[in-house]
Amino acid sequence: MRLVLATANPDKAAELGAILEEELDDLVELVARPQGVGAVEETGESLEDNARLKAVALVAATGEAAVADDTGLEVTALGGAPGTWSARFAGADATYADNVAKLLAVLEGEIDRRARFCTVVVCRFPDGTEIIGEGVVEGEIVPAPRGVGGFGYDSVFAPEGGGGRTFAEMSPTEKHELSHRGRALRSFAAFLKQSTPAAPTSSSRLPTS
């Protein structure tokens, strides 16, 4: 079975591929997003909406099943922001460093540093059926970046169960075991192992980890 990775972000593609290859072994062949496919505007109101937009676009472009995810950082002191705007928190063309700098600036002096990462994975099949997986990890925003691994907000997010370390201070294996994306993809993979592409009748939702 072939699955097209819908993401255009090379860091996310590498992480998705590593986790899915470990979980699904030889059951699927992962295919990179074709270079000729244009950008997909993430105009949805939720993470699920945005993941579905990307998966549907890749199915339309390739005629094959596609898997996409969308991830949001929800900070308690910011009322759940940046959420669906996490990748664009500091602007449309923001870098990882820009987003981290803005987050730390708006939280300067804030005592409540609680936050959580949420990921929704949507696997869309050419017949319109889909599988949805979700993963959540609670944690907190540290005062300054720590670590050299990961990407995005990993250097300032310390997950519960991580011994106070940020995701950027962990090995990829340690991060995948705890992370929102790892949890969402593992639940998706577990369902896929028990089914075939024709199995879902419309939409199969997996429990949040």
Side-chain angles (χ1 to χ4, degrees), residues 40-55 69-72 82-88 120 122:
V40 179
E41 288 195 40
E42 299 182 26
T43 56
E45 296 183 1
S46 68
L47 299 176
E48 183 177 321
D49 290 342
N50 285 334
R52 181 174 292 108
L53 285 170
K54 290 179 279 190
D69 89 301
D70 199 37
T71 293
T84 58
W85 287 88
S86 294
R88 300 160 284 174
V120 178
V122 174

Side-chain angles (χ1 to χ4, degrees), residues 11-12 21 35 46-47 53 62 80 82 84 93 96 101 113 116 119 126 130 134 141 176 190 201 204:
D11 294 319
K12 186 182 288 189
E21 285 175 357
Q35 292 185 353
S46 68
L47 299 176
L53 285 170
T62 66
T84 58
D93 299 317
Y96 297 149
R113 313 287 291 193
R116 68 176 189 164
T119 288
E130 61 186 27
E134 301 174 75
I141 305 300
H176 298 166
T201 56
S204 297

